[in-house]
């Protein structure tokens, strides 16, 4: 028994070290030669995932699969990234079902929320129209039917997913004010539930979209919310090489602008914000085009908005 506990403890320490390496890789930015080897970190996550599965600690196995998926994202392999997220979703779901079978008093919706989040990420990264994506959606629909039949369970993931779907629909029909409102609601929803770390990639793309929408809508300060002003100030200050104030009225670090946006993207967005604030519209047009070219992993909604903004500016500048 003690041997097993020691093995689990060692695996947890190894998981934390692997996670630390991922953070170092993310922070490395332009200086990739100083970053840890992604392949080595990926191998660690894969080995640890199987180790946790054998030990029956399925939620940690799921987190290792998520780490593996992040490594695949750096290598530009969306299909393998999708497969890793699917493994994570299944592990979270098994963890949820296991707590139900054991009738644990501490059972909560966190594992099921994790499963939903990972199913959505798996579907998002899978190739459209492929058999694999169809299989993911079948599993996701089955889980959602179970949730719909549970009257006492209101899924935050459902609400967030619905808000993002509504925002994208608003953007497609040109209703950019509604799209901005939906993205604002997503941020409020995630922070209210203290779930920011679970939705890091979502918060990244939502922050990018919110800033771009504020630039595109060209709202005067009187029409901007305090959150909008704070977002613009963060990126404009970054462009001026000014350090942003740490006084956020007690807000945690994950709630500050830029918390989930990689440094390279932040500096590119800072140039866009600066060009807009200073009314350098020709520069803004080129910066938008460069942003779309430089960052290959942008979502469809991000790319569509960048195309619309560039086309609008190209007609006048």
């Amino acid at each position: 028994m003690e041997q097993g506990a020691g093995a689990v403890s060692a695996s947890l320490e190894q998981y934390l070290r692997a996670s630390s390496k991922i953070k170092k890789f993310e922070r490395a930015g332009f200086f990739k030669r100083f970053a840890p080897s992604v392949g080595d970190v990926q191998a660690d996550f894969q080995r640890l995932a199987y180790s946790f599965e054998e030990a029956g600690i399925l939620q940690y196995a799921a987190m290792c699969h998520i780490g593996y998926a992040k490594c695949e994202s750096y290598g530009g392999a969306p299909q393998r990234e999708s497969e890793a997220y699917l493994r994570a979703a299944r592990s979270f779901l098994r963890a949820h079902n296991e707590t139900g079978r054991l009738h644990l008093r501490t059972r909560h919706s966190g594992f099921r929320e994790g499963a939903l989040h990972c199913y959505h990420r798996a579907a998002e990264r899978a190739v459209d129209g492929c058999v694999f994506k169809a299989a993911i959606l079948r599993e996701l629909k089955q889980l959602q039917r179970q949730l719909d039949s549970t009257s006492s369970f209101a899924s935050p993931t459902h609400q967030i997913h619905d808000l993002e779907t509504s925002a994208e629909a608003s953007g497609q029909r040109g209703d950019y004010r509604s799209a901005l409102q939906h993205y604002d609601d997503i941020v409020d929803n995630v922070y209210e539930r203290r779930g920011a770390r679970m939705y890091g990639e979502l918060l990244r793309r939502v922050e990018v979209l919110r800033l771009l929408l504020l630039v595109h809508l060209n709202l005067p300060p009187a029409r901007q919310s305090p959150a909008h002003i704070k977002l613009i100030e963060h990126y404009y200050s970054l462009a001026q090489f000014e350090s942003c104030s740490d006084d956020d009225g007690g807000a945690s670090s994950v709630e500050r602008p830029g918390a989930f946006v990689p440094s390279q993207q932040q500096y590119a967005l800072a140039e866009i914000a600066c060009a807009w604030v200073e009314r350098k519209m020709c520069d803004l047009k080129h910066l938008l085009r460069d942003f779309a070219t430089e960052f290959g992993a942008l979502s469809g909604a991000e790319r569509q908005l960048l195309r619309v903004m560039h086309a609008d500016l190209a007609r006048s500048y």
Side-chain angles (χ1 to χ4, degrees):
M1 186 77 171
E2 289 180 3
Q3 258 187 341
V8 168
S9 177
S11 293
L12 288 172
E13 289 176 8
Q14 291 167 32
Y15 167 75
L16 293 173
R17 283 198 295 272
S19 297
S20 173
K21 289 178 184 176
I22 280 274
K23 290 175 184 174
K24 286 179 183 176
F25 185 82
E26 290 171 340
R27 286 196 297 265
F30 291 104
F31 304 102
K32 295 297 183 189
R33 65 183 182 276
F34 299 119
S37 164
V38 179
D40 291 344
V41 179
Q42 193 171 27
D44 288 343
F45 277 125
Q46 185 177 43
R47 178 177 51 77
L48 287 167
Y50 294 136
S51 176
F52 283 125
E53 284 173 356
E54 288 179 3
I57 310 176
L58 298 169
Q59 64 271 34
Y60 273 98
M63 291 161 67
C64 289
H65 288 309
I66 291 173
Y68 187 96
K70 287 182 179 179
C71 292
E72 289 291 4
S73 73
Y74 298 134
Q79 183 61 30
R80 291 199 296 272
E81 183 185 352
S82 176
E83 291 167 3
Y85 274 117
L86 180 59
R87 292 194 294 273
R90 289 169 173 170
S91 291
F92 271 131
L93 194 54
R94 286 172 58 202
H96 176 81
N97 293 336
E98 187 64 25
T99 58
R101 281 194 294 272
L102 294 173
H103 302 290
L104 295 180
R105 293 180 63 190
T106 55
R107 190 186 191 200
H108 55 81
S109 63
F111 298 155
R112 191 155 51 174
E113 286 298 307
L116 275 169
H117 170 69
C118 291
Y119 273 126
H120 283 302
R121 291 292 293 133
E124 182 181 281
R125 302 304 291 157
V127 177
D128 288 336
C130 71
V131 174
F132 181 71
K133 183 165 187 174
I136 295 170
L137 294 175
R138 277 198 300 273
E139 289 188 31
L140 177 57
K141 286 177 182 177
Q142 179 61 35
L143 178 57
Q144 287 179 330
R145 278 198 295 271
Q146 294 171 11
L147 295 177
D148 292 341
S149 66
T150 309
S151 59
S152 62
F153 183 79
S155 167
T157 298
H158 276 179
Q159 296 173 20
I160 292 166
H161 177 67
D162 290 346
L163 283 169
E164 188 174 19
T165 300
S166 297
E168 291 176 1
S170 296
Q172 287 170 1
R173 64 174 181 267
D175 187 357
Y176 297 110
R177 288 179 184 270
S178 293
L180 179 60
Q181 182 60 60
H182 288 312
Y183 288 127
D184 289 342
D185 290 343
I186 288 173
V187 174
D188 292 341
N189 195 306
V190 170
Y191 289 154
E192 282 172 10
R193 298 177 187 280
R194 300 291 188 267
R197 296 190 188 282
M198 177 180 280
Y199 295 98
E201 171 56 24
L202 170 68
L203 289 172
R204 181 209 65 78
R205 64 177 178 269
V206 166
E207 182 164 318
V208 172
L209 287 161
R210 288 171 77 212
L211 183 68
L212 292 176
L213 283 166
L214 287 167
V215 170
H216 186 50
L217 289 167
N218 199 29
L219 296 174
R223 301 291 300 278
Q224 298 169 13
S225 72
H228 295 158
I229 293 170
K230 182 178 175 181
L231 185 63
I232 293 167
E233 285 179 347
H234 168 79
Y235 283 101
Y236 186 69
S237 297
L238 199 60
Q240 306 304 309
F241 302 102
E242 297 174 5
S243 60
C244 298
S245 171
D246 289 333
D247 183 11
D248 274 326
S252 84
S253 60
V254 296
E255 296 184 18
R256 296 185 182 124
F260 295 98
V261 180
S263 57
Q264 288 173 274
Q265 279 195 7
Q266 282 198 65
Y267 285 111
L269 290 168
E271 291 184 325
I272 288 171
C274 184
W276 171 65
V277 170
E278 297 179 358
R279 312 311 295 165
K280 297 176 180 177
M281 308 311 278
C282 284
D283 290 348
L284 177 59
K285 178 183 68 174
H286 296 306
L287 288 167
L288 292 169
R289 182 197 59 201
D290 293 346
F291 189 85
T293 303
E294 183 177 355
F295 300 103
L298 297 177
S299 68
E302 289 170 280
R303 291 195 174 282
Q304 180 196 16
L305 180 55
L306 286 164
R307 283 195 297 269
V308 169
M309 294 174 71
H310 185 272
D312 282 359
L313 287 167
R315 283 194 284 270
S316 302
Y317 302 96

